[in-house]
Amino acid sequence: MTKTNPGNFFEDFFLGQEIVHATPRTVTEGDVSLYTALYGFRHMPHSAEPYAMGLGFEAMPLDDMLAFHMVFGKTVPDVSLNAVANLGYAVGRFGAPVYAGDTLRTTSTVIGLKENSNGKTGVVYVNSIGINQKDEVVLDYVRWVMVKKKDLDAPTPDTIIPDLPKVVDVDDLVIAEGLDFSSYDVELAGAPHLWEDYEVGEKIDHIDGMTIEEAEHQMATRLYQNTAKVHFDQFAAKDNRFGKRLIYGGHIISLARALSFNGLGNAFKVAAINAGAHANPTFAGNTIFAWSEVLDKQEIKGRSDMGALRLRLVATKDHPADDFPYKDEDGKYNPDVVLDLDYWVLMPRRG
């Protein structure tokens, strides 16, 4: 019996399987500082504690995508250590805010399986839930990942593809108790545009670009304790169809979110991920650009201090986004599109 962990292969998963992931992680201020250094986040509530507390937070909260990566990273050794690619996300709801000092842990349930026609890989659907030390849910989401088979003769499981809603209902968004955005200061935030200033169908070119550095990507991925081989092992990667390591898709999400500050500087609170796809692979040396589209705009019942915007965030590689590249007439992604993320944000209102 081996003492090392080879990771799960597609044939090791079964419907209803429950996985308790190691290792609980206490988030520190150092993690937040490193995350800021890697991506350059500038949203005021994640940068200035007195102003965050003035909005009703207990302290300066983590950027929601940092919380996402910490919860996600726990799942990798059990779900995607032998992944070919992480394919998509759905029905993700952010719950309790995460603060430095909180300890996060994650559990997952297998909710779907589909072996691919080549018989060498299959897609695994999991519902993962991140919980803090108070047993409060900080994130509940579904993702699906393509995983290698080890035994090509293993029986093919029944195909079960979960029926997932396309959009999280606005009434199901979690608003932490005590939050009040009525004292939000747009001057200190560095962005004048609030909820009222955005229109459905509006597209925003975020203009700036960020080039992916190999060292920064590996540092970021290790920060989340994501151990997927495709991101680290060049000795193995030289034999894949690209001949090199893949960039972790979450790294692209954070790069694109950071770029989106230029045009969406007050969209600091991610409330839900409706859907997400890593449309094409990225590699070290690619330069990431981003644009956003306002898909929907909803008032929140009983609240005059905040509203909800549903946004599509599209990231491209080596392709400035001023022409808003997306899909062709057949619905196929432009080859330069690397991320298609549909999500809800909470944004301050003028009241």
Side-chain angles (χ1 to χ4, degrees):
M1 180 180 293
T2 180
K3 290 184 171 64
T4 56
N5 174 27
N8 288 316
F9 292 87
F10 179 71
E11 64 268 26
D12 297 320
F13 294 98
F14 57 89
L15 197 67
Q17 181 179 3
E18 295 185 359
I19 306 170
V20 177
H21 303 292
T23 308
R25 174 75 176 270
T26 300
V27 184
T28 69
E29 291 181 356
D31 296 325
V32 176
S33 295
L34 180 54
Y35 190 77
T36 303
L38 288 165
Y39 302 108
F41 272 85
R42 292 178 281 164
H43 294 105
M44 182 179 66
H46 305 307
S47 302
E49 185 159 272
Y51 296 99
M53 295 178 71
L55 300 177
F57 291 101
E58 295 176 14
M60 188 174 72
L62 267 66
D63 180 89
D64 293 299
M65 293 316 303
L66 174 54
F68 172 86
H69 296 316
M70 291 295 191
V71 170
F72 179 103
K74 303 291 96 190
T75 71
V76 171
D78 300 307
V79 175
S80 49
L81 191 63
N82 296 304
V84 177
N86 190 49
L87 299 177
Y89 314 93
V91 285
R93 291 199 308 155
F94 290 82
V98 179
Y99 304 101
D102 282 349
T103 299
L104 306 181
R105 64 189 191 276
T106 309
T107 59
S108 294
T109 303
V110 177
I111 61 172
L113 294 167
K114 179 183 181 298
E115 184 170 307
N116 290 327
S117 57
N118 63 13
K120 298 178 180 179
T121 60
V123 179
V124 181
Y125 297 78
V126 293
N127 176 204
S128 299
I129 300 175
I131 299 173
N132 66 16
Q133 72 280 4
K134 301 175 185 177
D135 290 331
E136 298 170 326
V137 173
V138 301
L139 177 64
D140 183 339
Y141 73 103
V142 170
R143 72 159 168 143
W144 48 103
V145 57
M146 187 186 302
V147 182
K148 298 174 184 175
K149 289 184 71 174
K150 184 177 183 180
D151 179 4
L152 300 185
D153 296 324
T156 300
D158 292 337
T159 296
I160 302 291
I161 300 176
D163 184 14
L164 302 171
K166 293 183 178 179
V167 181
V168 176
D169 193 281
V170 171
D171 292 338
D172 292 331
L173 301 181
V174 177
I175 301 174
E177 186 176 353
L179 291 191
D180 183 349
F181 293 175
S182 58
S183 63
Y184 190 86
D185 189 323
V186 294
E187 283 191 321
L188 291 178
H193 306 297
L194 297 177
W195 181 82
E196 289 85 354
D197 299 317
Y198 294 88
E199 299 296 334
V200 175
E202 179 179 359
K203 293 181 179 180
I204 303 165
D205 172 18
H206 300 301
I207 300 176
D208 309 304
M210 276 198 248
T211 300
I212 298 172
E213 303 292 348
E214 192 74 84
E216 289 179 348
H217 163 252
Q218 293 211 112
M219 187 179 296
T221 309
R222 283 193 291 262
L223 174 66
Y224 319 131
Q225 296 177 322
N226 179 338
T227 56
K229 299 173 184 177
V230 294
H231 305 316
F232 294 104
D233 188 346
Q234 180 56 40
F235 183 79
K238 64 181 173 53
D239 295 324
N240 70 24
R241 64 191 177 105
F242 305 110
K244 50 189 173 181
R245 290 166 287 177
L246 296 175
I247 299 299
Y248 164 49
H251 191 61
I252 305 302
I253 293 175
S254 286
L255 285 174
R257 268 283 291 166
L259 292 170
S260 75
F261 180 91
N262 191 354
L264 286 165
N266 295 318
F268 70 90
K269 182 69 185 83
V270 180
I273 295 174
N274 298 308
H278 298 296
N280 288 290
T282 49
F283 307 97
N286 288 151
T287 298
I288 302 301
F289 298 89
W291 64 272
S292 292
E293 180 180 4
V294 180
L295 299 177
D296 198 359
K297 179 178 179 180
Q298 294 287 334
E299 294 187 352
I300 297 173
K301 292 178 182 178
R303 304 298 298 249
S304 62
D305 61 316
M306 67 177 72
L309 286 184
R310 181 184 169 195
L311 301 170
R312 169 180 288 128
L313 176 61
V314 178
T316 64
K317 60 181 178 183
D318 302 331
H319 186 147
D322 53 350
D323 61 341
F324 306 111
Y326 189 47
K327 294 180 178 179
D328 62 21
E329 294 179 354
D330 297 325
K332 186 177 181 180
Y333 283 108
N334 181 301
D336 297 336
V337 170
V338 296
L339 174 70
D340 181 4
L341 187 69
D342 177 340
Y343 67 117
W344 284 107
V345 296
L346 302 179
M347 182 176 282
R349 295 180 63 175
R350 292 194 173 85

